[in-house]
Amino acid sequence: MDTDPRETVRRGYDALSHRYDEAFGTDTKYGPWIADLLDRLPETAEVLGLGCGTGVPVARDLAAAGHRVRGVDISGVQIERARALVPAAEFVRAGAAALDLPEHALDAVVCLYALIHLPLAEQPALLGRIGRWLRPGGLLLVTTGHRAWTGTDPDWLGGGVPMRWSHGDAAHYREWITAAGLVVQDEEFVPEGRSDTPCSAPAAPDRAPGAGVVHRTGPAWRNRWGRSTLEVGAVPRPTPGSGAHAAG
């Protein structure tokens, strides 16, 4: 068994890259999130995908819209497939925690269901680096944890290999995101398709339990046990004529 949790994650995606796509409808997932991000991006934006997977659909759709996209993933199999599936983008095999870029180099960073695979102790520092990589007005689209949890599924997706996750609770992510200099703009709870699992977010009166509740009032997070959320943050833009900052 791997003692390094990064190796558990890498081996899991190397082994089950195709099965993961089949299980989660890779070609069509994240559609509303990508559309919203495209509406916010400047023309010909510089975008980084952290934990980019096969590049579908995020890198594919952003590159098709004319943006310059670089994807980074720890899995060599995922990166090989991404290069074949999305030739218009650039892909690099690397661990997110070891990645470093110049300050103010990016217009957006997309990190969906990837941050929660990193060891928890490394996540605040990565969020801090993302804050420095983004230009003023830059955007972060990220899924994080809701309840604190660290653990391993020994038979991930029924494929006979383990997968590991580690995340803090919502309060910690709020602190880390704010400390990174980001301003939360939107939040959205999204069901993971299991209404029989515990969930701390109540269902709206007109929705069945587990169907999900959309919020757009503050930081967002992901719940390992049945719900996830979308977060879009922005680096503050300087207010003209003053030293104050306003939300981007």
Side-chain angles (χ1 to χ4, degrees):
M1 178 178 293
D2 295 313
T3 57
D4 186 344
R6 301 172 196 78
E7 280 298 294
T8 300
V9 173
R10 181 188 67 78
R11 291 177 185 271
Y13 280 104
D14 278 353
L16 300 183
S17 174
H18 290 274
R19 186 182 294 237
Y20 180 86
D21 286 355
E22 294 168 359
F24 294 102
T26 294
D27 190 61
T28 57
K29 66 182 180 181
Y30 310 146
W33 302 355
I34 297 170
D36 182 70
L37 180 61
L38 286 169
D39 285 342
R40 298 168 184 252
L41 287 174
E43 186 175 355
T44 317
E46 297 282 350
V47 183
L48 174 68
L50 282 177
C52 64
T54 64
V56 178
V58 176
R60 178 197 64 189
D61 292 358
L62 294 177
H67 300 297
R68 292 185 288 268
V69 183
R70 176 188 297 181
V72 175
D73 200 282
I74 197 172
S75 165
V77 172
Q78 295 281 69
I79 289 297
E80 287 179 8
R81 295 187 63 206
R83 288 169 178 162
L85 292 168
V86 192
E90 176 188 354
F91 296 98
V92 177
R93 182 187 176 277
L99 186 66
D100 205 2
L101 297 170
E103 290 189 7
H104 302 162
L106 302 170
D107 295 295
V109 174
V110 179
C111 185
L112 298 178
Y113 300 96
L115 182 67
I116 55 175
H117 283 307
L118 286 176
L120 185 63
E122 297 178 4
Q123 295 178 29
L126 177 59
L127 288 166
R129 293 201 304 277
I130 289 172
R132 294 192 295 273
W133 299 339
L134 289 169
R135 295 165 179 158
L139 299 168
L140 169 64
L141 173 59
V142 61
T143 47
T144 70
H146 173 47
R147 295 181 184 178
W149 187 84
T150 294
T152 301
D153 181 345
D155 185 24
W156 186 47
L157 301 178
V161 298
M163 181 53 68
R164 183 177 175 83
W165 297 266
S166 183
H167 51 72
D169 60 23
H172 282 104
Y173 282 107
R174 287 170 179 157
E175 293 174 5
W176 299 340
I177 290 165
T178 300
L182 304 178
V183 176
V184 174
Q185 294 183 332
D186 293 294
E187 147 183 331
E188 179 184 358
F189 285 87
V190 179
E192 294 198 44
R194 292 183 61 189
S195 59
D196 60 338
T197 51
C199 176
S200 65
D206 60 342
R207 295 176 182 238
V213 182
V214 176
H215 298 267
R216 299 189 182 279
T217 58
W221 50 86
R222 177 182 188 277
N223 184 346
R224 172 78 176 102
W225 291 274
R227 290 183 184 265
S228 62
T229 64
L230 162 70
E231 178 174 355
V232 181
V235 177
R237 292 188 180 93
T239 303
S242 75
H245 291 80

